[in-house]
Amino acid sequence: MKETVLVTGASSQLGVFLLPRLQAAGFRALAFSRKAPAVPFDVSDSVRWVQAGQAAAAATETEPESLVSCGPLEFACALVATCRDLRQVVAFSTSSILTKAASANPAESELVANIARDEQRLESLCRERGVPLALIRPTLIYGCGLDRNISSMARFGRRFGFIPVAGNSAGLRQPVHADDLSSLALGCLLSENPVILESVACGGSTLSYREMMEKTAAVCGPGVRILALNTGMLKAAVRLVSVLPAYRGVNTEMVRRQAIDMIFDDTVLREKLGYQPRPFDPHPGDFDIPHCARDLQLTG
């Protein structure tokens, strides 16, 4: 009988790449999503989609061995509290709790404070139940067009023919591919020994924000260029567009951070799990869901 893995946030960019890897490794995945139909259904003999609201009942019936959280940590906490026989939890949080805690934007600071509280609660629950927890905080994620950072800028570039940046945008970044993170999660599940760690997960390149956007623009098609604006001018433009539904999450703190280094050390992942993320060298396929993953995703 296949070992069962609960996957929350299964329709996220992490879930897109994780489900095929779990299937190939011989696991059975219960993929939770708010987008799933009311009645659970199998898209393959190894992947069953279940509505998030039915997660507790489904988890109790299947007696899962592992949980990979690719969605809200609050959901992961509820499952850890429900499932008594978990042998491993892999939870993806975000490096934003390290870079946005002092944000001048109230919505941002409140969001990361909530995530930090959920991290602490998950750590406490796992410790109380003796469940090994690998808590991973990725940097900027890209890989299949679902992220709200690099892919959003790529869509903007395709639509308007340019990608705006603030001045020289020299702040350093380490963008990480979602598939490298899914491989990392699988490595935790396949490890001979329980994995207990807390670490940021970086990509294979360290480059400036401007260089990152230049590489992104190059993938968008001929004629898409970088438009360097005065920081004050770009902030003013952001304030104007932020009232539009498509750009409601945009704020001036994003502009300010383009000049700030946001880099980390993930040596613990490289040494303990052999983590070797790819360099940031995007191609058109990195902005769409691959066919092998599309077959396991929700349709319609």
Side-chain angles (χ1 to χ4, degrees):
M1 186 176 181
K2 294 182 178 180
E3 183 174 323
T4 300
V5 180
L6 306 180
V7 180
T8 66
S11 56
S12 71
Q13 56 191 335
L14 294 178
V16 162
F17 291 101
L18 179 61
L19 296 183
R21 284 188 176 273
L22 290 175
Q23 179 172 260
F27 291 98
R28 176 162 174 77
L30 279 187
F32 298 119
S33 174
R34 289 172 295 180
K35 301 175 183 177
V39 179
F41 77 104
D42 298 313
V43 292
S44 76
D45 61 353
S46 300
V47 177
R48 166 169 285 193
W49 283 91
V50 182
Q51 266 196 351
Q54 302 173 358
T60 301
E61 292 175 3
T62 56
E63 299 181 351
E65 289 83 2
S66 305
L67 163 65
V68 180
S69 171
C70 303
L73 294 179
E74 182 180 8
F75 191 10
C77 289
L79 287 173
V80 171
T82 299
C83 304
R84 298 295 179 178
D85 299 315
L86 292 174
R87 66 168 184 82
Q88 180 73 63
V89 173
V90 181
F92 288 100
S93 182
T94 172
S95 63
S96 291
I97 70 166
L98 306 174
T99 59
K100 299 180 182 178
S103 172
N105 180 272
E108 278 192 345
S109 58
E110 181 180 2
L111 176 62
V112 297
N114 289 338
I115 294 173
R117 283 193 291 269
D118 287 338
E119 277 192 7
Q120 293 170 3
R121 181 163 180 256
L122 181 61
E123 289 176 315
S124 177
L125 282 168
C126 287
R127 187 166 52 249
E128 290 172 4
R129 287 161 174 72
V131 182
L133 169 64
L135 180 61
I136 301 169
R137 302 185 183 106
T139 54
L140 285 171
I141 307 176
Y142 72 101
C144 61
L146 296 180
D147 66 275
R148 297 180 181 179
N149 295 298
I150 295 171
S151 295
S152 293
M153 298 308 293
R155 286 190 290 271
F156 185 96
R158 291 193 188 101
R159 181 175 182 181
F160 297 105
F162 68 93
I163 295 178
V165 298
N168 60 10
S169 305
L172 298 178
R173 299 292 187 270
Q174 298 164 308
V176 59
H177 199 287
D179 193 31
D180 291 333
L181 297 173
S182 72
S183 177
L184 184 58
L186 183 62
C188 291
L189 300 184
L190 295 176
S191 175
E192 293 182 1
N193 300 309
V195 179
I196 303 175
L197 57 81
E198 178 181 327
S199 175
V200 170
C202 310
S205 297
T206 299
L207 69 172
S208 71
Y209 184 91
R210 176 167 184 142
E211 290 171 329
M212 183 175 72
M213 288 298 100
E214 286 174 343
K215 289 195 171 191
T216 301
V219 181
C220 292
V224 179
R225 61 191 180 90
I226 297 297
L227 178 62
L229 299 173
N230 172 277
T231 299
M233 185 181 298
L234 185 54
K235 284 185 175 181
V238 164
R239 291 189 188 97
L240 289 174
V241 302
S242 64
V243 300
L244 302 175
Y247 302 102
R248 193 153 288 162
V250 176
N251 62 72
T252 57
E253 282 290 280
M254 296 176 177
V255 177
R256 181 186 67 83
R257 285 193 293 266
Q258 290 183 22
I260 298 174
D261 292 346
M262 296 166 63
I263 56 174
F264 305 93
D265 181 4
D266 59 7
T267 300
V268 62
L269 297 180
R270 297 171 188 264
E271 293 182 347
K272 193 165 186 176
L273 295 168
Y275 178 56
Q276 295 182 322
R278 72 197 71 184
F280 184 67
D281 189 20
H283 56 84
D286 287 326
F287 298 97
D288 196 10
I289 297 175
H291 289 295
C292 65
R294 194 181 298 276
D295 292 341
L296 299 178
Q297 283 293 304
L298 294 167
T299 58

